[in-house]
Amino acid sequence: MTKATTPVLELKSVSRLFEGIHAVDNVSLKLYAGEIVGLIGPNGAGKTTLVNLISGFLSVSSGDVIFDGESITRKKPHVIAQNGIARTFQIVQPFARMTVLENVMAGAIYAGHRGMVQARDKAIECLEFTKLAHLKDMPASELALANRKRLELAKSLAMNPRLLMLDEVNAGLNSSEIDEAIQMIRSIAATGITIVVIEHLMRVVTALAERTVVLHHGAVASEGPTEEVMRDPKVIEAYLGNKFAQRFAETSGVPVARPA
Amino acid sequence: MIIDRAFALKIAFGVLLFACGAMLSAVLDNYYLQVGTTLAMLCSLCWAWNIVGGYMGYPALCMISFFGIGAYAGGIAQAAGVPETLAWFVAAGVGLLFALLLGVPLLRLKGHYFAVGTIASVEVLREVANNWDQLTGGAIGLNLPIHAGSPDEVGRYFYLAMLGLAFIAFLVTAIVDRTQFGFGLRCIRQNEQAASMVGINVFKYKVGAFVLTGVLGAATGAIYASMVAFIEPKDAFNIIMTIEIPVMVMLGGMGTIFGPLIGGVSYVILKEFVWAYFINWHSGLLGLIVVTVIYFLPVGVLGLTWRDIFRKFGASKSTRPVTSDIARSAS
């Protein structure tokens, strides 16, 4: 994977306070074009808050968010979406009373800057990619969970994003559905879209992410190539646990430093 | 703009309907022209409300604020010597400004808070009209120049004017229905957060819809004022009407092109029927109808699909796909 020298997204000491508590504490990060970055951490570590800050849904208490060399710190969510940052929601948020096709069209029209007719073509393309084309005329509310997650993905793709943040798109899916999702995410990244994968399923993170960032109590606890991060004693203690570390060591054949 | 066959047929049907309505003016006598004018007026108000209330899904109870503002703006302009037709445009402009003024703060509210805020605007405006004697004539009312001509000519003239405005409201609705503006409003109705995440400027869209509703409502009010040539606060800011308009649209089908028309016409027929046969009970019965509509038919007549009807009346032979239930329990 070739990495551009300038990052697509750069966080400079980003913090967010909730009534005095640091939900996100002084986080600095750089994301490059076409890479898949894992974002992991225990519940309440600030992963979703970080996504909300980047997508403009929450305002940053201090620090700077720079997308494509331009500060988007104070911009509104719809402007950020139009600039090329797409996200999925942990709890899927389809337009329930619209059809699957219309849901994806919504992404293509406003952030994808298309007219209604071109948006429909783009939406069908995205539905074919996510293997939902046969359900296009079904109301989004009638989809099963796995398909709703895919719909979120299709909707984000239709937005023509440069950065795509996937907030637990695999939670609640079965094993074969996860395999399919992993393939899909890989082929999205291959088109040059930067992807942030927020996951509790370590299997997904290890399969996808070359680089992983671990959040703990809102701060970056560890960052680096996924393999190394998984062996970091701090990460094992805070999040992964010894059992996982042992299993990971057995499968990857590299000894793991035990936390004291 | 996506134009498929169903949409083209709808527009053709609408144009035909309005053309018939316009031609009828040649043969109808004054009484029926009156009825037709009232119907056209209610339908314009319904179409106007449908943009904010139906497509966008905001429970706006301020339709009569727009109507009254338009009536007074047009009335005051005409009383000051502005020609009638020009006064209608002035009123539409005032409606635009007023919608901006009211919408920018109110559209930050949601649900019940928004509804209460909008209904308060009717009360406030009526009090202002009641007390600002120099401008509005106060509680005594405001006289407008009477449109010249025989009663038949005048009746026909205002019938055609109202019908023309209803046609404009219909066309605006058809355009909203098919463009990305209306599509965005439908997204906002379902989930504002998700709407902003796909890049919709939610606030701008909401204000835009409110302004469209306001302009159409004010224009309707101005034509009404010219027609009756006399307006007073309790007539221009009629609190019952501000509830009736949404009920009509609900009856017909919110967020549809023909819902306002069907709802407006059927509500008027229902109301006349109740008036004619149950004069002592009409308020109670109309109240009952309102509750029934909201409770049993929240989607309106046009919101029903054949599948819904079969499901309701033939539950055993239901065509509902069981797969979705199975899928849901399995996942």
Side-chain angles (χ1 to χ4, degrees):
Chain A
M1 192 119 322
T2 52
K3 280 177 191 171
T5 42
T6 52
V8 172
L9 183 85
E10 188 176 358
L11 303 183
K12 285 184 178 165
S13 325
V14 169
S15 296
R16 167 73 199 198
L17 289 157
F18 284 125
E19 291 172 9
I21 296 161
H22 275 94
V24 168
D25 188 6
N26 207 20
V27 170
S28 294
L29 271 182
K30 282 180 182 172
L31 304 178
Y32 296 92
E35 72 172 341
I36 305 180
V37 177
L39 183 59
I40 61 172
N43 285 329
K47 304 182 296 287
T48 300
T49 307
L50 192 62
V51 171
N52 282 336
L53 291 176
I54 295 169
S55 57
F57 202 69
L58 284 174
S59 59
V60 173
S61 301
S62 68
D64 213 0
V65 183
I66 292 159
F67 181 66
D68 246 351
E70 194 190 332
S71 171
I72 55 164
T73 316
R74 301 267 165 250
K75 291 204 166 140
K76 296 244 167 65
H78 68 91
V79 178
I80 292 173
Q82 286 172 5
N83 282 0
I85 298 185
R87 65 169 295 186
T88 66
F89 287 89
Q90 197 172 345
I91 297 156
V92 288
Q93 303 216 9
F95 300 115
R97 287 169 61 191
M98 285 179 166
T99 64
V100 168
L101 179 66
E102 285 173 320
N103 264 274
V104 182
M105 274 174 70
I109 294 169
Y110 304 99
H113 305 291
R114 287 183 170 81
M116 295 287 277
V117 179
Q118 298 100 297
R120 189 167 55 182
D121 297 342
K122 173 74 182 175
I124 288 173
E125 196 184 295
C126 293
L127 284 173
E128 272 161 8
F129 180 80
T130 50
K131 303 194 172 80
L132 283 174
H134 60 294
L135 299 171
K136 71 180 168 62
D137 295 319
M138 201 183 228
S141 56
E142 289 187 16
L143 290 183
L145 181 68
N147 285 335
R148 279 193 215 187
K149 297 260 177 181
R150 279 193 199 162
L151 177 61
E152 284 279 295
L153 197 61
K155 194 160 76 176
S156 317
L157 275 183
M159 290 167 63
N160 263 3
R162 314 251 331 267
L163 170 66
L164 177 57
M165 297 184 284
L166 305 174
D167 198 349
E168 300 205 16
V169 280
N170 295 302
L173 302 192
N174 69 30
S175 185
S176 67
E177 286 164 345
I178 290 172
D179 285 336
E180 262 185 89
I182 288 174
Q183 282 309 317
M184 237 173 242
I185 293 167
R186 273 207 189 115
S187 45
I188 295 168
T191 63
I193 298 173
T194 308
I195 297 178
V196 177
V197 187
I198 298 169
E199 270 305 339
H200 277 304
L201 298 165
M202 295 319 296
R203 183 184 142 208
V204 177
V205 178
T206 48
L208 283 172
E210 305 130 64
R211 204 150 70 84
T212 293
V213 177
V214 186
L215 280 187
H216 188 46
H217 295 315
V220 177
S222 179
E223 189 203 340
T226 305
E227 293 250 315
E228 280 173 32
V229 166
M230 296 284 181
R231 286 195 295 271
D232 186 334
K234 270 190 295 181
V235 177
I236 294 166
E237 188 177 23
Y239 180 50
L240 297 174
N242 284 324
K243 244 191 205 160
F244 175 85
Q246 228 158 23
R247 219 173 49 227
F248 185 72
E250 280 159 17
T251 49
S252 63
V254 186
V256 176
R258 287 283 172 84
Chain B
M1 198 165 177
I2 293 179
I3 297 168
D4 50 19
R5 183 188 281 183
F7 179 72
L9 279 176
K10 277 182 196 170
I11 297 303
F13 178 70
V15 170
L16 197 72
L17 214 64
F18 276 101
C20 290
M23 281 189 285
L24 274 179
S25 71
V27 291
L28 290 180
D29 67 22
N30 215 340
Y31 172 75
Y32 284 105
L33 282 177
Q34 282 275 323
V35 174
T37 312
T38 307
L39 270 180
M41 180 178 96
L42 290 176
C43 287
S44 326
L45 290 177
C46 285
W47 265 310
W49 186 83
N50 188 38
I51 297 170
V52 164
Y55 285 96
M56 192 168 93
Y58 265 59
L61 296 175
C62 55
M63 202 56 235
I64 294 309
S65 300
F66 296 137
F67 178 83
I69 281 282
Y72 269 101
I76 292 163
Q78 264 191 275
V82 175
E84 191 177 77
T85 317
L86 184 62
W88 297 346
F89 283 99
V90 169
V94 172
L96 185 149
L97 290 178
F98 175 71
L100 276 178
L101 213 65
L102 190 65
V104 169
L106 280 186
L107 287 166
R108 296 178 196 277
L109 304 175
K110 276 180 196 144
H112 305 84
Y113 301 99
F114 178 78
V116 170
T118 51
I119 206 164
S121 74
V122 182
E123 291 294 297
V124 169
L125 285 172
R126 193 175 55 230
E127 284 313 307
V128 170
N130 255 327
N131 291 298
W132 198 350
D133 292 356
Q134 294 96 324
L135 189 71
T136 64
I140 302 160
L142 183 71
N143 281 303
L144 276 69
I146 292 169
H147 193 90
S150 72
D152 271 358
E153 281 167 14
V154 174
R156 192 161 298 126
Y157 177 76
F158 282 109
Y159 171 76
L160 287 174
M162 238 7 144
L163 201 68
L165 184 66
F167 185 58
I168 292 172
F170 164 76
L171 287 181
V172 167
T173 304
I175 292 167
V176 165
D177 190 81
R178 287 288 142 161
T179 49
Q180 52 170 284
F181 176 65
F183 195 95
L185 294 182
R186 285 167 60 209
C187 292
I188 290 170
R189 176 177 67 187
Q190 296 174 66
N191 190 333
E192 272 184 47
Q193 184 178 345
S196 67
M197 284 300 159
V198 294
I200 297 171
N201 188 343
V202 171
F203 191 65
K204 201 173 96 186
Y205 270 54
K206 290 200 288 192
V207 172
F210 209 64
V211 163
L212 268 184
T213 298
V215 167
L216 289 170
T220 316
I223 297 179
Y224 171 79
S226 301
M227 180 175 77
V228 294
F230 171 75
I231 45 172
E232 55 179 339
K234 71 175 181 355
D235 183 32
F237 298 105
N238 180 348
I239 195 92
I240 301 294
M241 285 266 281
T242 213
I243 307 286
E244 276 181 322
I245 299 294
V247 170
M248 290 178 207
V249 181
M250 275 185 222
L251 184 61
M254 294 206 283
T256 60
I257 297 177
F258 281 107
L261 176 73
I262 292 171
V265 172
S266 46
Y267 186 83
V268 168
I269 292 171
L270 265 175
K271 197 174 165 180
E272 285 303 312
F273 175 78
V274 171
W275 261 107
Y277 293 96
F278 305 97
I279 185 75
N280 295 324
W281 300 89
H282 75 272
S283 291
L285 279 176
L286 281 177
L288 207 63
I289 290 168
V290 170
V291 173
T292 311
V293 166
I294 293 168
Y295 196 79
F296 290 105
L297 209 65
V299 289
V301 176
L302 285 188
L304 282 179
T305 57
W306 286 111
R307 215 170 81 181
D308 291 329
I309 294 167
F310 285 125
R311 205 181 298 164
K312 225 158 238 170
F313 296 112
S316 57
K317 280 179 251 163
S318 166
T319 53
R320 182 171 172 70
V322 278
T323 46
S324 62
D325 287 328
I326 292 167
R328 216 170 287 136
S329 59
S331 64

